[in-house]
Amino acid sequence: MEDTKALVVPPQPGELMAAKANEMARAMLEFLPGGNTLPEPTRRAMAMLAVNNGLDPFLGEVYAVPQKRKNERTGQWEIVGYALGIGRGGWLRNAERSGLYQGNEFRFCTPEEEAAMDVQKGDVAMCCNVFKAVSSVRHSGNYRVSGFGIVGVDEKSKMNHFQLSRKRAFVDALRNAFPMAVPKVDGVQIQIQVVDEETGEELGNGHE
């Protein structure tokens, strides 16, 4: 007897992730504060970034960061687009989920490091070492991955410069030790900013 049942082809991993991202983008429209003001491509990009890296935009781990420009005619600041931001907690969650994150330590940068990064008098420069476990059956222990945080003497911030430089160094180290997959949307690579959840400030070092 001939089997007339249609062959069911299981969805590929990429198709499952795309479907999950589309579902998340629809949920963001209704449940994410301010989600209904975001353009559809921005919501979709946020969802793809979140799904690709196991992050949760509803917990503030992925942001849409307004890009503003002053209208010369009206003198008003207007939103001209959005960049995507990953919160500091999102980078830490990514590291912890790997099972390889084993803590961190901070120190001031050495004179040699400051010279290499062109740190100026009055700037605050910190180094953060993140400890990452060795993933090998032959070896055990951990190794250090460094990140740096620099705050210019004239920078304006809601945080004091010492606190800001530590946060920048911490995120820089996490990004170096536990990089995330940044997807393309419509063939264009998503540009990522790092955002502090407590103040909403960007944690980039300015030289990036």
Side-chain angles (χ1 to χ4, degrees):
M1 183 175 180
E2 184 179 357
D3 187 359
T4 59
K5 290 183 180 180
L7 178 63
V8 177
V9 179
Q12 298 300 304
E15 295 174 341
L16 291 174
M17 294 187 74
K20 189 173 181 180
N22 289 336
E23 181 181 349
M24 179 180 287
R26 288 192 293 269
M28 288 164 56
L29 177 64
E30 184 173 358
F31 300 111
L32 185 72
N36 59 349
T37 67
L38 296 175
E40 188 275 335
T42 300
R43 290 197 309 274
R44 187 156 55 93
M46 287 178 65
M48 290 180 65
L49 181 62
V51 168
N52 270 266
N53 295 285
L55 302 178
D56 190 340
F58 301 99
L59 296 179
E61 294 176 344
V62 178
Y63 289 80
V65 184
Q67 305 297 292
K68 297 182 179 181
R69 183 172 59 202
K70 192 172 186 178
N71 187 310
E72 295 182 359
R73 184 175 61 83
T74 65
Q76 301 296 314
W77 287 91
E78 301 174 346
I79 296 176
V80 295
Y82 292 87
L84 296 192
I86 297 178
R88 185 166 47 94
W91 287 99
L92 180 57
R93 179 179 177 184
N94 176 61
E96 292 175 335
R97 189 176 59 245
S98 73
L100 302 177
Y101 175 67
Q102 296 189 337
N104 62 82
E105 65 178 11
F106 292 92
R107 61 172 174 79
F108 285 102
C109 291
T110 65
E112 292 77 15
E113 290 168 339
E114 290 186 351
M117 295 183 290
D118 196 26
V119 175
Q120 302 298 307
K121 184 177 180 180
D123 295 351
V124 179
M126 296 291 298
C127 173
C128 175
N129 292 319
V130 162
F131 296 97
K132 184 175 183 179
V134 176
S135 180
S136 170
V137 295
R138 294 185 177 182
H139 304 281
S140 61
N142 57 49
Y143 61 97
R144 293 182 303 177
V145 180
S146 298
F148 299 93
I150 305 166
V151 181
V153 63
D154 295 324
E155 275 196 61
K156 300 293 189 295
S157 172
K158 299 174 185 177
M159 296 175 271
N160 66 62
H161 284 187
F162 176 71
Q163 181 186 27
L164 179 57
S165 64
R166 282 173 60 96
K167 287 186 176 182
R168 285 179 172 175
F170 183 43
V171 168
D172 194 41
L174 290 175
R175 293 170 70 184
N176 292 333
F178 303 97
M180 293 195 205
V182 180
K184 291 184 178 181
V185 176
D186 298 330
V188 179
Q189 194 77 40
I190 297 174
Q191 299 300 311
I192 301 299
Q193 297 181 4
V194 183
V195 181
D196 181 68
E197 293 92 332
E198 298 170 2
T199 66
E201 293 182 74
E202 188 179 350
L203 291 179
N205 274 328
H207 55 69
E208 296 180 341

